[in-house]
């Protein structure tokens, strides 16, 4: 029975690593957005969510290179880095919010919010009666994410790993 769980979990992890690993690495390594010039010393950029936050949001940074005025705000209007672009003139805020990059960030935030809502609606719970299976699954994920040592799409490496595990 455990061998069946192992094979099922291993196949899922292998599929996950082949399909998703590259996307995850891209998301986590996403650089800050590029600065966009608004004229008169003002510029802004739209940044992806910080991965170290439980309340991750797309947000905008704005600054005036002449006066040193800076601000930031979530694309949903919430505070970002403790700020609401308080010192930024309304005219500049309106220009930012009408820009295509800001609108793209807002759309990405909407998709992120929907994905979080879907995950929370499933009310995932761990069955602690089978904690051994949970530990095994965690170990499989840790072992399979060894894509640092070999690519997820390297079938020969995966076959060697399966052979080494005695499957």
């Amino acid at each position: 029975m455990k061998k069946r769980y192992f094979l099922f979990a291993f196949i899922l992890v292998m599929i996950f690593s082949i399909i998703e690993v590259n996307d995850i690495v891209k998301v986590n390594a996403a650089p800050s957005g590029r600065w966009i010039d608004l004229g008169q010393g003002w510029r802004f950029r739209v940044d992806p969510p910080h991965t170290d936050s439980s309340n991750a949001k797309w947000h905008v940074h704005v600054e005036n290179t002449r006066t040193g005025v800076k601000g930031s705000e979530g694309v949903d209007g919430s505070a970002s880095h403790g700020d609401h672009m308080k010192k930024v003139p309304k005219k500049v805020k309106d220009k930012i919010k009408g820009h295509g990059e800001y609108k793209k960030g807002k759309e990405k935030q909407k998709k992120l919010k929907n994905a979080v809502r879907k995950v929370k609606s499933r009310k995932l719970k761990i069955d602690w009666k089978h904690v051994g299976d949970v530990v095994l699954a965690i170990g499989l994920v840790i072992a399979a994410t060894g894509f640092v040592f070999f690519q997820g799409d390297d079938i020969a490496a995966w076959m060697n790993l399966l052979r080494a595990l005695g499957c």
Side-chain angles (χ1 to χ4, degrees):
M1 189 66 144
K2 286 198 182 244
K3 193 170 188 176
R4 188 178 340 160
Y5 282 129
F6 173 78
L7 286 175
F8 177 71
F10 184 78
I11 289 169
L12 284 178
V13 169
M14 190 167 125
I15 291 169
F16 171 76
S17 68
I18 292 170
I19 295 171
E20 296 292 327
V21 163
N22 290 333
D23 292 334
I24 290 170
V25 170
K26 287 177 191 171
V27 168
N28 287 336
S32 295
R34 63 181 173 84
W35 286 104
I36 299 167
D37 186 24
L38 296 172
Q40 298 179 340
W42 289 101
R43 65 183 191 163
F44 80 99
R45 72 175 195 249
V46 179
D47 284 355
H50 298 287
T51 56
D52 60 348
S53 171
S54 62
N55 192 17
K57 295 180 182 181
W58 284 83
H59 57 286
V60 62
H61 290 270
V62 60
E63 69 180 20
N64 188 307
T65 55
R66 294 180 190 167
T67 63
V69 174
K70 293 182 179 185
S72 62
E73 185 176 88
V75 295
D76 61 355
S78 64
S80 174
H81 303 287
D83 191 21
H84 275 287
M85 294 196 288
K86 297 171 191 156
K87 298 178 182 177
V88 179
K90 184 179 181 336
K91 179 174 76 173
V92 175
K93 289 181 193 178
D94 292 342
K95 200 170 185 180
I96 291 169
K97 291 178 181 181
H99 197 279
E101 285 298 312
Y102 184 87
K103 291 176 182 177
K104 284 180 192 176
K106 198 166 182 143
E107 187 61 33
K108 289 177 182 180
Q109 179 62 34
K110 185 177 176 183
K111 288 179 182 178
L112 176 63
K113 187 176 180 182
N114 287 336
V116 168
R117 188 173 60 244
K118 283 181 184 177
V119 169
K120 286 183 177 180
S121 72
R122 295 180 188 229
K123 298 180 182 171
L124 302 174
K125 295 181 182 176
I126 294 176
D127 182 7
W128 290 105
K129 292 177 186 173
H130 300 96
V131 75
D133 294 337
V134 173
V135 171
L136 177 64
I138 290 169
L140 286 172
V141 170
I142 290 170
T145 55
F147 66 89
V148 172
F149 302 108
F150 56 86
Q151 293 293 319
D153 59 351
D154 187 351
I155 301 301
W158 283 107
M159 294 307 293
N160 287 333
L161 178 63
L162 280 174
R163 195 172 347 161
L165 293 173
C167 295

